[in-house]
Amino acid sequence: MSTTFQLDTATSRAHPTPAPMKRLTVPAIQRRKFEGKTEEPLVMLTAYTARQAQLLDQHCDMLLVGDSLGQVIYGLPSTLQVTLDMMIAHGAAVVRGSYHSVVVVDMPFGAYEASPQQAFAAASRIMAETGCAAVKLEGGQAMAETIAFLTRRGIPVMAHVGLTPQAVNALGGYGARGRSQEEHAKIIADGQAVADAGAFAVVVEGVVEPIAVSLTQSVEIPVIGIGASARCDGQVLVTEDMLGMFERVPRFVKKYGDLAGFITETAAKYAEEVRARTFPGVEQTYQPK
C-alpha cells in the first residue's frame, strides 16, 4: 500500500490530502487480454486536468493525457503545435488527480521521431516529471525500433496505428484509413510490428471495421479502438467530445451529454442575476455580527 495526493473537494479546491492508492498497473492491463480475448473491455478516456481526472478515474482503466489537448484546451489547429512542456504540465496534473487508472501521456510531434535516443530523452523526462505509468507514440513499423529501445529501458509504451493525427499532412486528412487492400495490409503489419517490439497495448484509430477486428484477433496485446469496432479489446474517446462540449465532432463520437448547452444556459442565468443585482445574495455575502 502506498499513498498519493488528490484534491479534497470537501474542504479546499487545492488542498492536497493523502489517500490510499491501489492503482492499476501496465502488466494488469496486459493481462486483461488472455489467450487472444478480453472478457471485459478496457475503458479509456482523455484527461487534461486534476479535477477532470478525479471525476473520470473511478470509471476508467486508463486515462490518456492526449496531445488532443492542443485543440481541446489551447484552441490550436492541430496537435502538431503541442510541446513537451505542455504534455508534462498536464500529465502531472492528471496523475495528481487520480489514484486508480493507469495514466498514459502522449509524446508530442517532434519529440521522438528522430531517433530512439531522442525518444528516450523525451520519454524519461515525461515519466520522471509526471509520475505517469506509460507513454504513447504514433507510428507502426517505422517506430518499432524506438518502441523496443524504450521498453528495454523500462519505459512502457502504448502504440498508435491507423489514422495517426500527427501525420495528418502526410495522410492527406482525417478520413478513415484502410479502404484499399494495400492500406489494410499495412495497418495490420504496423500493429503486429509494434506488438512484436514490446508495446503493451495499441490504439487503432479511424479504420474500416474489418481491419480493427482483424488486428484485435491477430495480436496478443490489447487493441484500443477509436473509430474502429466494438469488438476491440477496449475503447477511448476524447472526453470533451463525449460530453458534448463541441458542436462538430468526428463521426465515431457518441455524445453522451450536452455540456456545452448546460454551460451556456448557466452562464446566461449568472449574467442575468448579476445585471439584476440579485447575485450575490445574503447567502453569498458576509454580514456584520
Side-chain angles (χ1 to χ4, degrees):
M1 182 73 70
S2 59
T3 59
T4 187
F5 290 93
Q6 62 177 346
L7 304 185
D8 182 0
T9 55
T11 54
S12 168
R13 290 193 301 273
H15 179 64
T17 57
M21 180 185 80
K22 189 172 183 181
R23 193 184 287 274
L24 288 171
T25 64
V26 165
I29 296 297
Q30 283 186 289
R31 288 195 296 269
R32 290 279 289 275
K33 188 169 186 175
F34 180 69
E35 294 184 347
K37 295 182 179 180
T38 303
E39 291 298 325
E40 183 179 44
L42 293 156
V43 178
M44 188 176 192
L45 284 169
T46 61
Y48 313 117
T49 67
R51 182 56 177 155
Q52 190 179 38
Q54 278 187 304
L55 296 173
L56 300 176
D57 189 45
Q58 63 180 309
H59 306 290
C60 295
D61 302 299
M62 294 179 283
L63 291 174
L64 173 64
V65 187
D67 59 1
S68 49
L69 64 81
Q71 293 142 305
V72 172
I73 301 295
Y74 292 96
L76 297 171
S78 74
T79 62
L80 301 183
Q81 294 82 17
V82 173
T83 67
L84 191 60
D85 286 341
M86 290 161 66
M87 296 308 306
I88 289 171
H90 288 275
V94 170
V95 171
R96 287 194 296 269
S98 61
Y99 65 92
H100 166 72
S101 301
V102 168
V103 177
V104 182
V105 177
D106 262 342
M107 296 185 70
F109 177 72
Y112 61 93
E113 296 91 340
S115 68
Q117 291 76 16
Q118 181 207 30
F120 180 78
S124 59
R125 189 180 160 206
I126 290 172
M127 299 280 290
E129 296 184 34
T130 68
C132 71
V135 298
K136 183 171 80 65
L137 56 79
E138 295 183 7
Q141 293 168 295
M143 286 294 113
E145 180 186 355
T146 293
I147 292 170
F149 189 90
L150 295 179
T151 56
R152 286 197 300 266
R153 286 157 178 79
I155 297 179
V157 178
M158 174 179 283
H160 186 151
V161 301
L163 173 59
T164 47
Q166 292 178 9
V168 63
N169 291 321
L171 295 174
Y174 292 98
R177 319 310 301 177
R179 297 195 184 278
S180 70
Q181 186 58 43
E182 181 182 4
E183 198 170 44
H184 183 138
K186 183 182 186 310
I187 293 169
I188 298 298
D190 281 342
Q192 189 64 62
V194 299
D196 292 344
F200 76 91
V202 57
V203 170
V204 59
E205 178 174 358
V207 301
V208 294
E209 187 169 22
I211 292 180
V213 174
S214 178
L215 180 60
T216 302
Q217 295 172 342
S218 65
V219 297
E220 292 300 315
I221 62 174
V223 175
I224 310 300
I226 176 169
S229 173
R231 294 169 64 184
C232 290
D233 300 301
Q235 302 295 326
V236 62
L237 281 177
V238 171
T239 298
E240 284 77 0
D241 288 345
M242 180 268 291
L243 291 176
M245 280 290 286
F246 299 102
E247 289 73 24
R248 295 182 62 188
V249 295
R251 170 184 171 147
F252 54 74
V253 172
K254 178 177 179 178
K255 291 187 180 182
Y256 287 83
D258 180 23
L259 195 54
F262 173 77
I263 291 172
T264 299
E265 292 171 10
T266 305
K269 182 64 174 176
Y270 166 73
E272 177 186 333
E273 292 188 4
V274 168
R275 291 174 181 132
R277 296 190 187 278
T278 58
F279 175 83
V282 175
E283 298 85 354
Q284 294 88 35
T285 53
Y286 300 97
Q287 304 300 321
K289 293 181 179 180

